[in-house]
């Protein structure tokens, strides 16, 4: 998503394989080998289709690239607008389960374009953060246990904070991060917001918006960021050695 890439990411977990297809950084299709994740299960549970309609679409899906959803749309059995919210919720739930996995591997297929009827799941960062928000706090605390006593600070991440659309509660939690106090200290200083602080730190850590100081300065000074060199502030040219000789 950060690199606006097109391709398919397949995550192989102990009980299922989940494939997420991206087009220019936006997830437009997600599928899983687990029976409970089947799109027909979601549609039937919300009564957007009937069992007979699903059977008709299954019988005709070879005409639509083998994709059940494309078959339902193509046969006029399902209104795409009516299904959009449900498909986005399904995708978010599936991603949340993937994020909870502790074992498995993944395969990235660059430039892979999904066959069938891709339905954009929504804004890339909204989908990502909504999936993280579904992860239980107990799981987040467990995964942050190794760094909870390290100072945490704000960094120049690879994503603009405005694009993440944090909630007011998350923005407040982020504002407590000062580069001096550890995660444990922040939670102790603001106990009513401890859950939000842990979640925000966990969500933004992999985006490099927040980082931990591995070596604590005895004076408690926050780290200094290296200057960012841009094309408009490139260093002056170095004179050749011959020009330095008198």
């Amino acid at each position: 998503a950060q690199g606006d890439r097109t391709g398919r990411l397949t995550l192989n977990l102990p009980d299922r394989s989940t494939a997420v297809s991206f087009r220019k950084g936006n997830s437009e299709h997600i599928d899983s080998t687990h029976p409970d994740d089947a799109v027909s299960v979601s549609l039937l549970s919300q009564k957007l289709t009937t069992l007979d309609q699903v059977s008709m679409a299954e019988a005709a899906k070879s005409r639509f690239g083998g994709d059940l959803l494309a078959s339902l749309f193509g046969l006029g059995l399902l209104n795409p607008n009516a299904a959009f919210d449900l498909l986005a919720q399904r995708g978010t739930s599936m991603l949340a389960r993937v994020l909870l996995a502790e074992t498995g591997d993944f395969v990235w297929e660059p430039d892979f374009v999904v066959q069938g009827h891709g339905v954009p799941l929504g804004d890339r960062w909204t989908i990502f953060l909504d999936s993280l928000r579904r992860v239980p706090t107990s799981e987040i605390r467990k995964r942050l246990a190794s760094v909870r006593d390290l100072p945490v600070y704000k960094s120049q991440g690879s994503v603009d904070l405005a694009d993440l659309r944090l909630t007011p509660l998350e923005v407040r939690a982020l504002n407590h991060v000062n580069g001096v106090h550890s995660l444990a200290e922040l939670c102790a200083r603001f106990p009513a917001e401890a859950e939000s602080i842990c979640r925000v730190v966990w969500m933004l850590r992999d985006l490099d918006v927040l980082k931990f100081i591995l070596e604590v300065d005895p004076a408690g000074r926050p780290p200094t960021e290296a200057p960012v060199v841009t094309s408009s502030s490139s260093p002056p040219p170095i004179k050749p050695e011959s020009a330095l000789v008198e």
Side-chain angles (χ1 to χ4, degrees):
Q2 291 175 325
D4 292 334
R5 296 182 181 180
T6 295
R8 180 171 66 178
L9 177 65
T10 301
L11 301 111
N12 300 306
L13 309 180
D15 64 339
R16 73 195 71 197
S17 290
T18 300
V20 187
S21 296
F22 295 88
R23 187 186 296 272
K24 296 183 178 180
N26 291 301
S27 53
E28 67 169 13
H29 188 273
I30 183 168
D31 208 355
S32 166
T33 58
H34 198 283
D36 292 344
D37 292 336
V39 67
S40 58
V41 173
S42 297
L43 294 173
L44 289 170
S45 67
Q46 297 300 314
K47 299 181 179 179
L48 292 179
T49 57
T50 65
L51 191 58
D52 287 342
Q53 289 173 325
V54 171
S55 298
M56 290 173 57
E58 285 281 3
K61 69 180 184 180
S62 60
R63 295 161 42 195
F64 300 92
D67 185 88
L68 176 62
L69 201 57
S71 182
L72 286 166
F73 292 155
L75 295 175
L77 300 175
L78 179 64
N79 184 340
N81 292 328
F84 178 81
D85 287 344
L86 173 65
L87 295 174
Q89 292 172 10
R90 170 179 173 266
T92 300
S93 298
M94 291 168 65
L95 286 176
R97 282 194 291 272
V98 168
L99 292 169
L100 283 171
E102 297 184 352
T103 60
D105 56 39
F106 69 91
V107 177
W108 170 252
E109 301 168 84
D111 301 321
F112 180 94
V113 178
V114 66
Q115 301 297 316
H117 198 99
V119 178
L121 300 180
D123 175 77
R124 67 185 74 180
W125 300 121
T126 298
I127 291 293
F128 176 66
L129 293 184
D130 281 351
S131 300
L132 296 181
R133 291 181 182 114
R134 292 172 180 250
V135 176
T137 304
S138 58
E139 181 69 21
I140 293 174
R141 290 182 182 274
K142 182 176 74 173
R143 298 193 180 195
L144 290 173
S146 63
V147 293
R148 67 184 305 273
D149 294 320
L150 299 176
V152 57
Y153 68 100
K154 299 170 186 173
S155 178
Q156 295 178 342
S158 54
V159 181
D160 191 327
L161 273 176
D163 293 337
L164 298 179
R165 303 175 187 176
L166 299 177
T167 67
L169 193 61
E170 291 166 350
V171 171
R172 180 180 172 87
L174 178 60
N175 287 337
H176 293 318
V177 175
N178 56 15
V180 175
H181 293 100
S182 69
L183 176 60
E185 289 171 333
L186 290 174
C187 291
R189 285 166 62 89
F190 307 99
E193 300 175 65
E195 180 177 337
S196 296
I197 292 171
C198 287
R199 188 172 297 276
V200 165
V201 169
W202 185 63
M203 291 195 303
L204 302 185
R205 181 187 181 189
D206 287 339
L207 298 178
D208 290 333
V209 174
L210 294 178
K211 293 183 179 180
F212 288 93
I213 305 175
L214 299 182
E215 295 182 3
V216 179
D217 190 320
R221 292 187 296 266
T224 57
E225 287 285 325
V228 178
V229 178
T230 64
S231 57
S232 61
S233 61
S234 49
I238 299 175
K239 293 182 180 180
E241 289 184 7
S242 57
L244 302 178
V245 178
E246 296 295 338

